[in-house]
Amino acid sequence: MPQQVQAVIAPGKNEPVRVETIVIPDPGPGEAVVKIQACGVCHTDLHYKQGGINDEFPFLLGHEAAGVVESVGEGVTDVAPGDFVILNWRAVCGQCRACLRGRPWYCFDTHNAKQKMTLLDGTELSPALGIGAFAEKTLVASGQCTKVDPEVAPEVAGLLGCGVMAGIGAAINTGQVGRGDSVAVIGCGGVGDAAIAGSRLAGAAKIIAVDIDDRKLETARAMGATHTVNSRTSDPVEAIRALTDGNGADVVIEAVGRPETYEQAFYARDLAGTVVLVGVPTPDMKLELPLLDVFGRGGSLKSSWYGDCLPSRDFPMLVDLHQQGRLDLAAFVTETIGLGDVEEAFAKMHDGNVLRSVVVF
Ligand code: APR
Ligand code: ZN
Ligand code: ZN
């Protein structure tokens, strides 16, 4: 029987979001209905509301979530009712050329639930990143559910579903930060701070945090930064070089998504170093670099999609490290809020005062 639940809808471009009753169909083949316990408020949700992703309104927002599987459809064997899961927005297919070559974290054909959730009048909803978890329950593809240790707090676990995973993965998976490396992270929001925490976890010797906001630099230090640079008041490239014997960092992670900060990252890395772009640019942005410098400085320039994570490998591992006290995921939760507080959380995000507001059910 289809169920009716409360959920946060973005009805139209720049219109305030509101809580409405939605209809969740029973899970079909390969699908699961998940009872959501917590869901973080991410910038991408705000971008959907602003019409910055596409025009397929109304959106069912929310995608950084954890909860318990309520029911599964035909043929689902990877998860079962009662499993505590983190939702991911890249359910790998196992069939595409990336998957077949043993690189499923790059999967080029990820999938979501086939059936649609709707408003009471039958209007089809577009779930944010194929999830839609500012809702008491949501419908996803079973591959979007990753089972983890149920002892972890849901508001902490859910964050691994997006921004925190992107940042940790940018350091560990994409940047391949190793013991003794020097790392610089440009932009210390939730993603940059997670890259800092990931670098610390990987054993980096020096972690330089760069931001234009001193409050962000303070938090970055708590996350594991050994040095901080305010790039509004000092040149970040010179500062990073000065902190690395004049050489530049082994790995520089760009977590803003702008050409000027990318250029800083490019020149702030050591010869043969690595630049990781995890910040997401907008379509109008252009980059101009001397090609000779691209060649002459060697190394690698990489992009990090969702931290190049493989949810089945990375989510349980990071939850376990958190449970062991080796990775403080709780530090990313600034506040817990109710389903009706998402609009207000967007405003706070804009002021730059929160790492994550998390809706708890
Ligand atoms: N130089 C350095 N830091 C900057 C600059 C700049 N020119 N401009 C902004 N910042 C800092 C902000 O002060 C803030 O601390 O970058 C940080 C961005 O953080 P958030 O807005 O909280 O964004 P976050 O969620 O961390 O995401 C960062 O990654 O996944 C992408 O879409 C996401 O592009 C975004 C990026
Ligand atoms: Zn694939
Ligand atoms: Zn997100």
Side-chain angles (χ1 to χ4, degrees), residues 211-271:
D211 204 289
I212 49 176
D213 182 339
D214 282 327
R215 293 170 307 173
K216 297 301 181 103
L217 292 172
E218 213 173 293
T219 319
R221 217 173 250 283
M223 296 286 180
T226 57
H227 301 79
T228 58
V229 174
N230 186 322
S231 56
R232 212 190 268 293
T233 51
S234 51
D235 180 336
V237 176
E238 276 175 26
I240 292 167
R241 286 195 187 148
L243 289 165
T244 51
D245 303 322
N247 300 321
D250 296 311
V251 181
V252 185
I253 299 168
E254 201 279 11
V256 184
R258 300 192 57 82
E260 58 274 24
T261 39
Y262 188 86
E263 192 171 330
Q264 291 164 5
F266 180 82
Y267 285 109
R269 75 192 165 121
D270 198 356
L271 290 173

Side-chain angles (χ1 to χ4, degrees), residues 5-357:
V5 302
Q6 296 300 106
V8 176
I9 304 300
K13 190 168 175 164
N14 282 323
E15 286 174 39
V17 302
R18 57 177 185 244
V19 177
E20 280 201 35
T21 304
I22 66 165
V23 181
I24 315 265
D26 286 337
E31 293 175 342
V33 169
V34 179
K35 194 165 188 295
I36 303 299
Q37 294 180 321
C39 182
V41 183
C42 174
H43 281 81
T44 304
D45 294 305
L46 179 59
H47 292 164
Y48 273 111
K49 173 197 142 162
Q50 294 169 332
I53 310 254
N54 61 50
D55 292 328
E56 292 157 23
F57 289 97
F59 292 110
L60 168 58
L61 298 182
H63 61 273
E64 285 189 358
V68 174
V69 175
E70 181 186 77
S71 55
V72 298
E74 198 190 310
V76 172
T77 53
D78 42 1
V79 285
D83 284 350
F84 177 68
V85 297
I86 298 176
L87 300 182
N88 73 74
W89 43 267
R90 285 182 58 82
V92 302
C93 76
Q95 309 289 330
C96 73
R97 60 198 188 282
C99 285
L100 290 177
R101 295 179 76 195
R103 302 168 184 167
W105 48 91
Y106 292 139
C107 179
F108 301 142
D109 196 19
T110 59
H111 59 283
N112 306 315
K114 298 236 164 20
Q115 297 184 87
K116 291 287 189 182
M117 294 175 273
T118 65
L119 294 175
L120 283 175
D121 67 4
T123 306
E124 290 187 350
L125 294 165
S126 305
L129 293 175
I131 292 182
F134 291 146
E136 293 163 315
K137 295 175 188 180
T138 194
L139 175 77
V140 291
S142 70
Q144 292 180 269
C145 302
T146 309
K147 203 173 157 175
V148 299
D149 181 354
E151 294 297 311
V152 65
E155 61 271 26
V156 165
L159 298 189
L160 288 174
C162 187
V164 172
M165 183 68 248
I168 294 177
I172 293 180
N173 295 332
T174 318
Q176 304 260 294
V177 171
R179 271 191 297 281
D181 280 352
S182 54
V183 180
V185 176
I186 303 181
C188 301
V191 174
D193 278 345
I196 289 169
S199 300
R200 170 155 77 178
L201 196 60
K206 206 168 266 179
I207 306 172
I208 305 164
V210 180
D211 204 289
I212 49 176
D213 182 339
D214 282 327
R215 293 170 307 173
K216 297 301 181 103
L217 292 172
E218 213 173 293
T219 319
R221 217 173 250 283
M223 296 286 180
T226 57
H227 301 79
T228 58
V229 174
N230 186 322
S231 56
R232 212 190 268 293
T233 51
S234 51
D235 180 336
V237 176
E238 276 175 26
I240 292 167
R241 286 195 187 148
L243 289 165
T244 51
D245 303 322
N247 300 321
D250 296 311
V251 181
V252 185
I253 299 168
E254 201 279 11
V256 184
R258 300 192 57 82
E260 58 274 24
T261 39
Y262 188 86
E263 192 171 330
Q264 291 164 5
F266 180 82
Y267 285 109
R269 75 192 165 121
D270 198 356
L271 290 173
T274 302
V275 174
V276 176
L277 176 64
V278 65
V280 183
T282 54
D284 54 300
M285 292 175 176
K286 296 261 187 310
L287 180 69
E288 198 174 333
L289 285 172
L291 193 53
L292 183 59
D293 285 353
V294 176
F295 175 77
R297 302 188 61 79
S300 52
L301 308 176
K302 300 174 97 174
S303 307
S304 188
W305 299 341
Y306 200 1
D308 289 338
C309 77
L310 184 60
S312 58
R313 175 193 65 192
D314 296 343
F315 291 1
M317 182 240 328
L318 294 171
V319 165
D320 290 347
L321 290 174
H322 169 73
Q323 295 295 77
Q324 290 170 22
R326 295 166 68 190
L327 173 65
D328 184 9
L329 293 173
F332 290 89
V333 181
T334 312
E335 58 168 5
T336 55
I337 60 174
L339 197 58
D341 304 326
V342 172
E343 187 64 41
E344 205 181 315
F346 284 148
K348 286 187 205 154
M349 184 183 270
H350 200 76
D351 297 339
N353 251 332
V354 290
L355 275 183
R356 275 296 185 268
S357 305

